[in-house]
Amino acid sequence: MLNRVRSAVAHLVSSGGAPPPRPKSPDLSNAPSAQPAVPPEASKSPPVRAGSGSSAPAKTVEARTSFSRPTFLQLSPGGLRRADDHAGRAVQSPPNTGRRLPWSTGYAEVINAGKSRHNEDQACCEVVYVEGRRSISGVPREPSQGQGLCFYYWGLFDGHAGGGAAEMASRLLHRHIREQLKDLVEILQDPSPPPLCLPSTPGAPGSSDPSHLVGPQSCWSSQKEVTHESLVVGAIENAFQFMDEQMARERHGHQVEGGCCALVVVYLLGKVYVANAGDSRAIIVRNGEVIPMSREFTPETERQRLQLLGFLKPELLGGEFTHLEFPRRIQPKELGQRMLYRDQNMTGWAYKKIELEDLRFPLVCGEGKKARVMATIGVTRGLGDHNLKVCSSTLPIKPFLSCFPEVRVYDLTQYEHCPDDVLVLGTDGLWDVTSDCEVAATVDRVLSAYEPNDPSRYTALAQALVLGARGTPRDRGWRLPNNKLGSGDDISVFVIPLGGPGSYS
């Protein structure tokens, strides 16, 4: 059975070759990966407005970080040109062939309406095999001595200020997760509580008897309970950090421009782990009910964390910003007056006397989609952005941006799921114009039109969600049926079925 699993995984995952020695922060840049779905010569056209004609594509040799789309879309050169057309905004999905994405997952995407030169979203869907690094006894494991683990992986990466970070994360983040899980293979398959410490290799640093370092036991009367689930959460969190560190190291040599929000789903041993860093969103629609599986990280939702950092490390503000928030920008003539404010400890508002330092620009300003950190960026978690500076300044913004995701866990074994129960992942291009309830209504409308065992129903649902958010072209831009503006952003959607035959067995 194990050999059949390994063969299937080897067919689905292009991850051959021996892994490199594991440093503290794994460097996976040279790990084998699928080639970008872009030929050596590809179109490179300037951004166009919806409804306008597009210029003739110029032939040029593209760099590694140039325009590419997910490999599972299997786009031809002509398909790539259509996917890159801001005027037509054709919806892209995997071809309707016999080989489908794992779990019959549905996927659809569409390029923006001219916001950026190319589609800066990226996506990844993989089945990943994890071979254990060592046994709990500390003896290196022989490949035939134990069984590894498989996990299913989906990732959406919403790039900004360039597509390099999103493209790099789509190729490598699942490999960092695999690296972090290698120490856990045997532990996760053992029902007993995880060991407090992993044994060191004999002769390695730290392998000597540490008993002389143990202090009084009075404050350690009991050991904290650590679950297997929390180990997987920690592995995902560390993988995000190592991915961000790799981007920092390679941002010059590999032209890893910009940053990206990251929304990742890992299915392992009966549980779904949803990790979000940014403003993408995941929801479960189960029996018509919406179950949120993420929350957005924006200057508004993380105001207090940002203000606390600015308060504790005022040097990060560079004398240009104040960590305090005011309802509007203060005018010099208002010095000495009492105005509403709030700081890092407050959820409400109070009055304070305006002083000279309060005339600085607020660390967090604006509201809704216009909220910004240091008047520059509208998301507070994600990967990359190591070169991001305040406009017309050398002040870096990265210290205020966190790469750590929030991870939520859903136990699939606790519920009976039907074929209409799905997990929907979407970049903010979907959620800017579509509510959770509207997505749930679309789920019911589209899936009810298909037979429960029709695997194409989930791709049709992903396409309907993207089309519904994009709208149709009219005289004044892309419009929804209610004549409101549709989404002009890149839109990417995964629909992952949670029930039905063969969905996760």
Side-chain angles (χ1 to χ4, degrees), residues 5 7 34 69 75 77 126 147 151 169 175-176 185 188 218 220 257 332-333 351 356-357 446 453 472-473 489 498:
V5 171
S7 298
R69 300 313 311 139
L75 294 178
E126 297 279 356
Q147 294 185 346
F151 68 86
R175 302 179 188 277
H176 280 285
V185 167
L188 294 175
S218 58
W220 298 99
E257 76 275 15
K333 63 183 180 181
Y351 289 95
L356 190 60
E357 292 79 6
V446 174
N453 60 352
T472 55
D489 200 356
L498 300 180

Side-chain angles (χ1 to χ4, degrees), residues 237-476:
E237 291 169 333
N238 272 343
F240 270 67
Q241 183 182 22
F242 290 156
M243 182 74 257
D244 193 61
E245 291 175 355
Q246 184 174 354
M247 287 181 176
R249 292 193 305 270
E250 301 183 10
R251 65 184 185 274
H252 300 300
H254 291 76
Q255 297 179 351
V256 184
E257 76 275 15
C260 69
C261 301
L263 176 61
V264 162
V265 172
V266 171
Y267 170 78
L268 177 64
L269 298 176
K271 294 183 178 181
V272 172
Y273 298 82
V274 180
N276 186 45
D279 60 359
S280 298
R281 188 185 306 175
I283 65 171
I284 285 176
V285 181
R286 188 183 70 199
N287 195 26
E289 175 191 2
V290 173
I291 304 172
M293 290 301 296
S294 67
R295 69 183 180 100
E296 286 91 289
F297 293 97
T298 67
E300 286 188 307
T301 62
E302 290 215 283
R303 172 186 62 83
Q304 289 178 279
R305 179 184 72 82
L306 299 169
Q307 288 182 314
L308 178 60
L309 182 57
F311 171 75
L312 295 175
K313 295 188 174 183
E315 65 274 12
L316 297 178
L317 302 175
E320 302 178 29
F321 294 86
T322 173
H323 73 283
L324 300 179
E325 182 184 16
F326 300 92
R328 61 165 172 79
R329 187 74 186 273
I330 299 173
Q331 304 299 318
K333 63 183 180 181
E334 295 171 324
L335 279 171
Q337 297 183 18
R338 293 173 61 81
M339 180 176 282
L340 288 169
Y341 86 105
R342 57 182 176 179
D343 64 14
Q344 68 277 2
N345 300 310
M346 302 169 65
T347 56
W349 296 83
Y351 289 95
K352 77 175 292 288
K353 182 180 178 181
I354 300 301
E355 301 174 358
L356 190 60
E357 292 79 6
D358 299 328
L359 296 179
R360 296 171 181 167
F361 205 87
L363 173 62
V364 175
C365 63
E367 57 184 350
K369 293 297 291 185
K370 295 183 179 180
R372 293 290 183 269
V373 178
M374 304 178 105
T376 304
I377 187 170
V379 291
T380 54
R381 298 203 187 192
L383 302 170
D385 289 312
H386 294 279
N387 296 325
L388 186 61
K389 302 288 193 299
V390 174
C391 184
S392 301
S393 170
T394 59
L395 198 61
I397 298 178
K398 181 63 176 179
F400 290 96
L401 308 180
S402 173
C403 66
F404 283 95
E406 177 191 64
V407 184
R408 298 189 181 185
V409 186
Y410 181 83
D411 191 342
L412 278 178
T413 65
Q414 296 299 308
Y415 304 95
E416 284 288 336
H417 294 94
C418 73
D420 290 355
D421 295 338
V422 293
L423 171 59
V424 178
L425 314 181
T427 54
D428 66 329
L430 171 69
W431 306 106
D432 285 348
V433 297
T434 313
S435 68
D436 294 356
C437 292
E438 288 171 331
V439 167
T442 303
V443 170
D444 179 66
R445 173 176 58 82
V446 174
L447 295 187
S448 63
Y450 288 80
E451 291 295 325
N453 60 352
D454 185 347
S456 67
R457 65 206 304 257
Y458 304 110
T459 296
L461 174 54
Q463 293 171 340
L465 290 171
V466 170
L467 284 169
R470 183 201 68 178
T472 55
R474 299 185 187 175
D475 292 339
R476 302 179 64 181

